[in-house]
Amino acid sequence: LAAYRTDEGQPWVLPVVKKVEQMIANDNRLNHEYLPILGLPEFRANASRIALGDNSPAIKENRIGSVQSLGGTGALRIGAEFLRRWYNGNNNTATPVYISAPSWENHNSVFVDAGFKDIRTYRYWDAAKRGLDLQGLLDDMEKAPEFSIFILHACAHNPTGTDPTPDQWKQIAAVMKRRFLFPFFDSAYQGFASGSLDKDAWAVRYFVSEGFELFCAQSFSKNFGLYNERVGNLTVVGKDADNVQRVLSQMEKIVRTTWSNPPSQGARIVATTLSSPQLFAEWYDNVKTMADRVLLMRSELRSRLESLGTPGTWNHITEQIGMFSFTGLNPKQVEYMIKEKHIYLMASGRINMCGLTTKNLDYVAKSIHEAVTKIQ
């Protein structure tokens, strides 16, 4: 389950969200009229601002736009629909779309359903060293046809938890610029991954600073805990203001026949929070609480495995980031964990770090140790 849990294993409604919900309920000026097709203006502006940064050259040059969407998935779909229609000519069904191997399974489905016929993978996860296969990734980009579309995880890569370093991102950007490849970022964990909004948006901001035109799908499910409100945003960075307006006019047509116009409650919560310095500070503290708990669970799990002398290396547990971790357990070891220890994880060895608590850490660590020791 891709959702945060407290140390008691329970969902958490952020305190700042509770406060803002009450503010909205008590505001007699608000009503239930339709929002504009592209969404709540103050939400769109603030969402793009935290993705790109207050000092973004694209914001200063007025060459950004945005579309409020139904979660990050909705942002991906609107972006995909636009690219298939208008990206490189007016029929892009044969344009290659590259998705990391592995990736969030919905990436493939969204682009297939949007009409793309050539979905490819680029190398990302090196199972042997339990880290990023940078050379494989760069080689695949070098060999990709010009104008191919690449889906990039802005931070907290799902499902591996392994992100490129800033220097590695620079190498990726250099190849993409030279090969005329289009970056489509998926940013589902900004702030939630490291506890820093700036650090988690570094890659997106670097690409913008390098002059790329790009899309960035944003989700506020994790960093606001608004899973069922479906709050997302598609940030568009273009070469100039006129170009962005043309893109938005086409996206408006796509939205009109997709969900017509978006819901207001979640967007109002996010917009109210991000536009108030005091509420923003409270939200940042709430986000850091979630991020710090996940980071602590990583550290504690690695420490216990190393103390037990569990065969293999476990530094990847703390080098990975975000909600998920690729443990390195093989399918037979996973089967042992499920059947003998009643610890449930994916066949790939992926676990949700939020499932760990101070109460079950010892049991989980000992079970992993047993699985690795007994099952090869």
Side-chain angles (χ1 to χ4, degrees), residues 14-150:
L14 275 59
V16 72
V17 168
K18 284 186 177 180
K19 177 187 286 189
V20 174
E21 283 179 320
Q22 197 60 55
M23 290 169 58
I24 290 171
N26 294 334
D27 189 342
N28 293 324
R29 298 169 300 170
L30 299 177
N31 53 47
H32 294 288
E33 292 295 298
Y34 290 120
L35 294 184
I37 293 172
L38 293 180
L40 190 69
E42 54 267 39
F43 164 76
R44 294 163 52 212
N46 280 289
S48 293
R49 178 177 59 81
I50 67 161
L52 302 179
D54 290 328
N55 297 316
S56 171
I59 293 177
K60 291 179 178 178
E61 294 158 14
N62 196 31
R63 53 185 179 87
I64 72 144
S66 53
V67 181
Q68 183 186 335
S69 60
L70 301 189
T73 304
L76 287 165
R77 182 59 184 262
I78 295 301
E81 291 283 351
F82 174 86
L83 291 172
R84 195 254 302 154
R85 288 167 168 82
W86 301 112
Y87 164 55
N88 184 27
N90 59 10
N91 181 4
N92 287 275
T93 55
T95 298
V97 176
Y98 283 80
I99 295 170
S100 66
S103 190
W104 182 49
E105 62 276 1
N106 230 14
H107 282 153
N108 184 81
S109 301
V110 165
F111 281 83
V112 167
D113 284 356
F116 286 92
K117 305 295 185 186
D118 189 1
I119 310 294
R120 307 182 186 184
T121 58
Y122 61 89
R123 282 170 284 177
Y124 193 88
W125 173 250
D126 185 329
K129 70 177 186 181
R130 298 177 183 177
L132 179 68
D133 181 3
L134 179 65
Q135 196 54 53
L137 187 160
L138 294 174
D139 286 347
D140 288 343
M141 286 184 166
E142 290 282 8
K143 295 171 183 173
E146 290 185 351
F147 304 107
S148 294
I149 298 162
F150 272 74

Side-chain angles (χ1 to χ4, degrees), residues 282-297:
E282 290 181 41
W283 170 65
Y284 204 105
D285 186 62
N286 292 172
V287 173
K288 197 168 187 320
T289 295
M290 294 188 287
D292 285 350
R293 188 181 106 67
V294 174
L295 292 169
L296 178 64
M297 291 300 100

Side-chain angles (χ1 to χ4, degrees), residues 174-229:
V175 174
M176 292 190 72
K177 181 183 283 189
R178 179 162 42 78
R179 298 288 303 143
F180 302 103
L181 306 175
F182 184 81
F184 194 149
F185 282 96
D186 186 357
S187 178
Y189 298 94
Q190 188 182 358
F192 186 101
S194 69
S196 165
L197 290 173
D198 296 334
K199 184 176 181 180
D200 292 346
W202 191 92
V204 176
R205 295 176 186 180
Y206 178 74
F207 272 66
V208 171
S209 74
E210 286 293 294
F212 280 90
E213 292 188 290
L214 58 81
F215 288 171
C216 179
Q218 298 168 260
S219 168
F220 293 90
S221 294
K222 275 65 171 193
N223 57 16
F224 267 83
L226 293 171
Y227 302 96
N228 67 7
E229 293 288 355

Side-chain angles (χ1 to χ4, degrees), residues 265-301:
Q265 179 69 2
R268 280 194 175 128
I269 292 169
V270 173
T272 302
T273 303
L274 297 183
S275 59
S276 160
Q278 180 183 343
L279 293 171
F280 180 90
E282 290 181 41
W283 170 65
Y284 204 105
D285 186 62
N286 292 172
V287 173
K288 197 168 187 320
T289 295
M290 294 188 287
D292 285 350
R293 188 181 106 67
V294 174
L295 292 169
L296 178 64
M297 291 300 100
R298 288 185 179 279
S299 174
E300 292 294 324
L301 179 61

